[in-house]
Amino acid sequence: MRAAFFHGREDLRLEDVPEPRVGPGEVKLRVLYNGICGSDLHEYYDGPITTRDTPHPLTGVKNPVIMGHELCGEVVDVGEGVTDLSAGIRVAVEPVETCGHCLFCTAGQYNHCGLLAFHGYNRDGGGLAQFTTVRRSMAHKLPRGCPLCRAR
């Protein structure tokens, strides 16, 4: 598959890589849309900022990384333990992974987790690829019939 890898400041490369495999508790998505936001531009022109040249303490991921954290996709496969999603369901991705056990995570304020990792910056995979995998907790089912943007 094709994916956009951030290697460092002003160094984004379109590369061929194997499709990701879905693991336990994960969902594999065919990326339908991925937005580009100001954070991506800052990373490209001034980075690394959110991406890392050393392994992330939670995920172990470091540059180069597949960028893309604002995405939606269609489920193509689910891992062991995922029973409420199936192929063909469309989801929006909440692009955060946390430790799940610190004070902030257990209080429902996971966005303050000291080990916060972002899909498209510090996790394997990202939305600037044909396929990506995310934890089940990151995939939010879109209502049936929800129109997605169409290129004109």
Side-chain angles (χ1 to χ4, degrees):
M1 73 168 188
R2 304 287 280 168
F5 277 87
F6 176 77
H7 286 261
R9 182 174 293 158
E10 296 186 21
D11 187 0
L12 187 67
R13 304 176 200 172
L14 190 59
E15 301 178 10
D16 287 311
V17 294
E19 271 187 38
R21 292 179 172 213
V22 67
E26 292 183 336
V27 180
K28 180 177 177 181
L29 305 174
R30 177 185 333 278
V31 177
L32 298 175
Y33 295 98
N34 185 93
I36 297 175
C37 77
S39 300
D40 298 321
L41 297 177
H42 286 297
E43 196 70 31
Y44 177 77
Y45 287 112
D46 302 319
I49 299 168
T50 305
T51 64
R52 301 172 56 101
D53 289 328
T54 59
H56 187 278
L58 180 64
T59 64
V61 172
K62 65 178 188 170
N63 288 329
V65 295
I66 300 173
M67 290 192 78
H69 66 276
E70 296 185 351
L71 66 141
C72 68
E74 181 178 3
V75 175
V76 294
D77 197 6
V78 297
E80 182 183 332
V82 178
T83 59
D84 60 335
L85 292 177
S86 58
I89 292 175
R90 292 180 174 179
V91 299
V93 173
E94 180 178 16
V96 296
E97 179 177 341
T98 64
C99 74
H101 60 269
C102 71
L103 176 64
F104 291 114
C105 286
T106 57
Q109 299 174 354
Y110 56 88
N111 57 310
H112 295 291
C113 176
L115 296 177
L116 189 68
F118 292 95
H119 196 67
Y121 289 136
N122 341 96
R123 296 186 77 251
D124 282 328
L128 291 179
Q130 292 173 290
F131 297 91
T132 193
T133 58
V134 297
R135 288 179 163 192
R136 169 59 190 96
S137 61
M138 297 166 63
H140 300 278
K141 193 184 303 188
L142 293 170
R144 190 177 293 273
C146 178
L148 296 174
C149 297
R150 301 270 189 253
R152 300 201 188 251

